[in-house]
Amino acid sequence: MSAPTSKPAVTEREARQVAEAAREQDWRKPSFAKELFLGRFRLDLIHPHPVPSDEAAQRGEEFLAKLRDFCETKVDPARIEREARIPDETVAGLKEIGALGMKIDLRYGGLGLTQVYYNKALALAGSVSPAIGALLSAHQSIGVPQPLKLFGTQEQKDAFLPRCARTDISAFLLTEPDVGSDPARLATTAVPDGDDYVLDGVKLWTTNGVVADLLVVMARVPRSPGHRGGITAFVVEAAAEGVTVENRNAFMGLRGLENGVTRFHRVRVPAANRIGPEGSGLKIALTTLNTGRLSLPAMCAGAGKWCLKIAREWGAVREQWGKPVARHEAVGSKVSFIAATTFALEAVVDLASQMADEDRNDIRIEAALAKLYGSEMAWLMADELVQIRGGRGYETAESLAARGERAVPAEQMLRDLRINRIFEGSTEIMHLLIAREAVDAHLSVAGDLIDPEKTFADKARAGADAGVFYARWLPKLVAGAGQLPRAYADFHPAGHVDLSGHLRYVERSARKLARSTFYAMSRWQGRMETKQGFLGRIVDIGAELFAMSAACVRAELLRTTEPHGREAYQLADAFCRQARIRAEELFGRLWTNTDDTDHKVVEGVLTGTYAWLEQGVLDPSGDGPWIADAAPGPTERDNVHRPIR
């Protein structure tokens, strides 16, 4: 039996249809962020701020104390960076304290932590070594445990979850050398053969893949009698015959990351290892990521905390022109940005995580916004820290130590954080994903109006439905609580700065955002999906409004439960003032921008019109194809798979 050797030929429309079919189509639970994009500020969905149960908090705090002690005494982050590998004994220690099973239920030998405490643990571990954070996150957030928790059979849970909780590392394999965010072109196949499937193909950027014991693999099952086919998820033993890790990849950051290229050649996988029905693989992947994405912004919030610590200590010690550098306005504004943004990122992550734990709300947009916003803002904070540190920020920790100064790895933090704008959906893809969810209500009632394949009768019905929807919806965007001077007065307690004005701004801006979206759909109709610059700004405004809301709600929670409530209000106020400036700039750029000019320049670049501009330099790149050959077949390379026992 031979596997297909050609990649699926997929048109743009077919690719979109595959992605659309994988979406969760229904909204069975309320969503704060979805309502926000529709111009409805549902503060009641997030305030009072949800909190974990006493039992969950106690279990979580006990593990955090154990993890902190382990990271302080058993982890050498400089060694991980120097050797570009997490030592086997460190991984073994993580297994021993149960870190592999943080999110796995107690009945399977896991710790049964909530999403809130799982994320706190990732922030703690990631602050010591981002590579450790990535190892634990890839294993539990998108590896075998999460999809089995959501979609696995009881037999699969019994077979695999105890292993994942204590001994076995897992990885998630979707991307291929020529397939990234467009899974419709997935080329890895799983051909039914009796009670098995036979896997053939190559997977790229398999985080944990080099050391993994268990793999979640996405492969295309061909349609045949008795098989509906489609992209399907499988649990695969990494040690199975025909599985080869052909390369361990190296990156500008996360040097301890065990990320590789994995080839499957006639790998037999029992049908019992298929997760869910055939054709449900992408839906499983996207649903897994609804909460799985929260791990990344959790570590971004942890990075912000570290940046703040270094900025505070260095800013007070380093003197220029007679006073500490942090007291100079040019530097102080950077310190303020780091402090305020760190507060907001933690607020966003904790709020979305607690909402995930309670399961009362649909958080697919909240989690996506947290990933998008966290990855972008953490990168900016790290960049500002390097600037605050000056030449020492650009110097490696090893070099600093060699000449007798504190080994502060600021440049490493910058390198390590850069991947987060690409991991688990690039910023550009996240813009489109969130935008699609944000306009779902509009497409549900008016989508047929802009679909060129719909009949006149379909469009007529859609027009009638849209008329009813917009007749009810549009008048509600004219006025709201944001125009009432005393609205949200609970957020202006005596002796604290006033946050109520920021919430009124969020309410007004949500309605403005919804009006802008409606106007754009009316103006561009079927071309709306091509206006990626506009959609990206719409999403970025929504992210700022969500972060403002989370910051205010968290400040109020801390006011009533912690001794530093007044200081929390101050940080929330500073963040909201900064966020409002960014949001107003984005609103202005919705309609005043260079999108059309940029499009013309891009056409000129791609057609070679400006090739003369490239003269006068040499290209140091090596030879070779832009994309490596990923044709299925037997491997020609040594297996670099190294399971950690």
Side-chain angles (χ1 to χ4, degrees):
M1 179 175 54
S2 61
T5 58
S6 60
K7 288 185 176 295
V10 181
T11 66
E12 180 180 1
R13 182 171 181 79
E14 289 171 337
R16 293 181 183 276
Q17 288 174 338
V18 169
E20 183 66 18
R23 284 182 59 250
E24 290 185 72
Q25 302 292 328
D26 301 322
W27 294 84
R28 292 179 292 273
K29 298 175 183 177
S31 165
F32 173 80
K34 176 177 179 285
E35 294 292 304
L36 199 66
F37 280 107
L38 285 171
R40 299 190 284 251
F41 181 45
R42 291 287 308 279
L43 184 62
D44 61 293
L45 293 178
I46 61 172
H47 175 68
H49 193 296
V51 295
S53 68
D54 292 341
E55 179 187 357
Q58 180 179 352
R59 187 186 311 132
E61 293 294 341
E62 288 175 354
F63 177 72
L64 287 180
K66 184 183 299 185
L67 180 64
R68 175 180 290 276
D69 178 69
F70 177 82
C71 289
E72 287 180 339
T73 61
K74 304 296 184 181
V75 177
D76 183 352
R79 179 185 173 186
I80 294 173
E81 178 70 5
R82 183 173 61 252
E83 298 180 355
R85 175 173 292 179
I86 303 172
D88 288 3
E89 60 267 27
T90 301
V91 178
L94 290 169
K95 293 180 179 181
E96 187 176 339
I97 66 172
L100 293 189
M102 287 187 284
K103 284 194 70 179
I104 297 175
D105 195 274
L106 294 167
R107 78 181 82 169
Y108 303 110
L111 300 181
L113 297 188
T114 62
Q115 187 73 37
V116 169
Y117 277 96
Y118 169 66
N119 284 340
K120 288 181 183 295
L122 290 179
L124 175 61
S127 67
V128 177
S129 170
I132 290 179
L135 169 77
L136 296 174
S137 173
H139 166 67
Q140 292 171 89
S141 298
I142 58 176
V144 171
Q146 188 67 10
L148 284 193
K149 175 183 177 181
L150 297 174
F151 299 99
T153 65
Q154 189 59 53
E155 291 76 15
Q156 289 171 339
K157 294 175 182 178
D158 291 338
F160 297 119
L161 290 184
R163 293 169 58 183
C164 291
R166 291 290 175 180
T167 59
D168 289 16
I169 296 172
S170 68
F172 174 80
L173 281 64
L174 171 62
T175 305
E176 299 176 359
D178 197 29
V179 179
S181 298
D182 180 13
R185 298 170 57 247
L186 199 76
T188 298
T189 58
V191 179
D193 184 25
D195 292 332
D196 298 335
Y197 290 84
V198 180
L199 263 64
D200 283 276
V202 178
K203 295 294 185 179
L204 175 64
W205 296 324
T206 60
T207 299
N208 288 358
V210 178
V211 297
D213 305 286
L214 289 171
L215 313 172
V216 174
V217 181
M218 296 293 170
R220 182 184 301 278
V221 177
R223 185 185 296 272
S224 63
H227 293 275
R228 60 175 292 188
I231 298 173
T232 306
F234 299 89
V235 177
V236 180
E237 298 280 357
E241 183 178 355
V243 179
T244 305
V245 179
E246 294 189 327
N247 191 66
R248 182 185 181 229
N249 305 322
F251 304 100
M252 68 180 284
L254 288 180
R255 290 179 176 171
L257 192 70
E258 298 285 358
N259 180 294
V261 177
T262 302
R263 177 178 294 271
F264 300 92
H265 177 58
R266 298 178 180 174
V267 179
R268 300 194 73 84
V269 180
N273 285 22
R274 188 189 70 220
I275 308 175
E278 291 181 356
S280 63
L282 284 185
K283 185 180 291 290
I284 289 172
L286 290 177
T287 305
T288 298
L289 282 172
N290 280 344
T291 54
R293 281 198 176 99
L294 290 174
S295 62
L296 193 150
M299 289 184 282
C300 287
K305 288 173 176 286
W306 182 82
C307 289
L308 178 60
K309 178 180 184 294
I310 300 302
R312 172 178 59 81
E313 295 177 349
W314 172 250
V317 169
R318 177 61 166 168
E319 290 192 0
Q320 293 282 273
W321 296 294
K323 60 182 177 182
V325 292
R327 297 195 183 278
H328 290 281
E329 189 173 279
V331 176
S333 62
K334 300 178 187 301
V335 176
S336 174
F337 166 74
I338 293 173
T341 305
T342 296
F343 178 83
L345 285 192
E346 186 171 43
V348 166
V349 172
D350 275 9
L351 177 61
S353 299
Q354 187 58 44
M355 292 167 72
D357 286 331
E358 291 192 343
D359 200 27
R360 289 190 295 110
N361 297 309
D362 188 324
I363 66 157
R364 71 183 87 161
I365 300 182
E366 286 84 348
L369 285 173
K371 189 276 175 188
L372 167 70
Y373 197 73
S375 61
E376 290 292 330
M377 300 307 274
W379 166 257
L380 291 176
M381 287 191 289
D383 187 56
E384 293 288 38
L385 176 65
V386 168
Q387 192 71 18
I388 291 170
R389 288 273 290 160
R392 290 172 174 85
Y394 194 66
E395 191 172 2
T396 68
E398 186 177 28
S399 177
L400 287 164
R403 60 182 185 79
E405 291 193 1
R406 183 175 298 184
V408 179
E411 61 83 29
Q412 180 192 335
M413 177 64 74
L414 192 64
R415 288 187 286 104
D416 288 342
L417 284 171
R418 184 58 183 85
I419 187 59
N420 293 334
R421 298 171 64 199
I422 302 171
F423 259 172
E424 297 182 17
S426 69
T427 290
E428 294 71 27
I429 290 298
M430 296 306 297
H431 276 150
L432 299 181
L433 184 152
I434 298 168
R436 173 60 186 86
E437 299 293 359
V439 301
D440 182 65
H442 300 280
L443 294 180
S444 295
V445 298
D448 287 356
L449 285 172
I450 59 178
D451 189 336
E453 295 190 358
K454 294 299 181 180
T455 66
F456 178 79
D458 291 333
K459 292 179 182 291
R461 283 192 294 271
D465 292 340
V468 173
F469 174 79
Y470 289 119
R472 295 174 179 172
W473 179 66
L474 286 172
K476 297 178 182 178
L477 302 182
V478 176
Q483 293 163 293
L484 302 176
R486 294 293 299 163
Y488 313 114
D490 290 349
F491 288 83
H492 189 192
H496 294 67
V497 296
D498 185 6
L499 298 183
S500 65
H502 298 311
L503 293 178
R504 290 195 293 273
Y505 174 83
V506 172
E507 195 279 335
R508 295 193 305 271
S509 297
R511 287 186 283 111
K512 182 179 179 181
L513 187 65
R515 294 195 301 269
S516 299
T517 303
F518 172 75
Y519 174 69
M521 291 190 66
S522 302
R523 176 179 176 179
W524 291 313
Q525 298 183 25
R527 292 185 297 130
M528 179 76 162
E529 65 182 19
T530 70
K531 300 297 181 179
Q532 295 179 0
F534 177 89
L535 292 173
R537 295 177 199 111
I538 286 288
V539 170
D540 285 340
I541 294 170
E544 295 287 2
L545 300 182
F546 176 46
M548 289 176 65
S549 304
C552 291
V553 170
R554 179 172 180 79
E556 175 60 13
L557 171 68
L558 295 181
R559 183 186 72 83
T560 58
T561 60
E562 301 287 345
H564 42 257
R566 182 174 286 100
E567 293 75 19
Y569 257 67
Q570 293 168 356
L571 287 170
D573 177 58
F575 172 77
C576 288
R577 290 177 185 273
Q578 295 168 10
R580 287 171 72 157
I581 293 173
R582 293 191 293 266
E584 286 303 306
E585 179 184 354
L586 288 165
F587 269 122
R589 289 174 54 210
L590 286 178
W591 313 111
T592 305
N593 52 63
T594 61
D595 291 351
D596 292 340
T597 301
D598 295 342
H599 178 74
K600 294 176 182 177
V601 171
V602 170
E603 287 301 310
V605 169
L606 295 180
T607 56
T609 302
Y610 308 128
W612 52 268
L613 190 59
E614 301 165 12
Q615 297 175 6
V617 299
L618 295 174
D619 182 0
S621 305
D623 296 329
W626 286 103
I627 300 172
D629 179 29
T635 187
E636 298 178 357
R637 308 184 66 172
D638 293 335
N639 190 358
V640 297
H641 179 231
R642 56 174 201 91
I644 300 173
R645 300 303 180 192

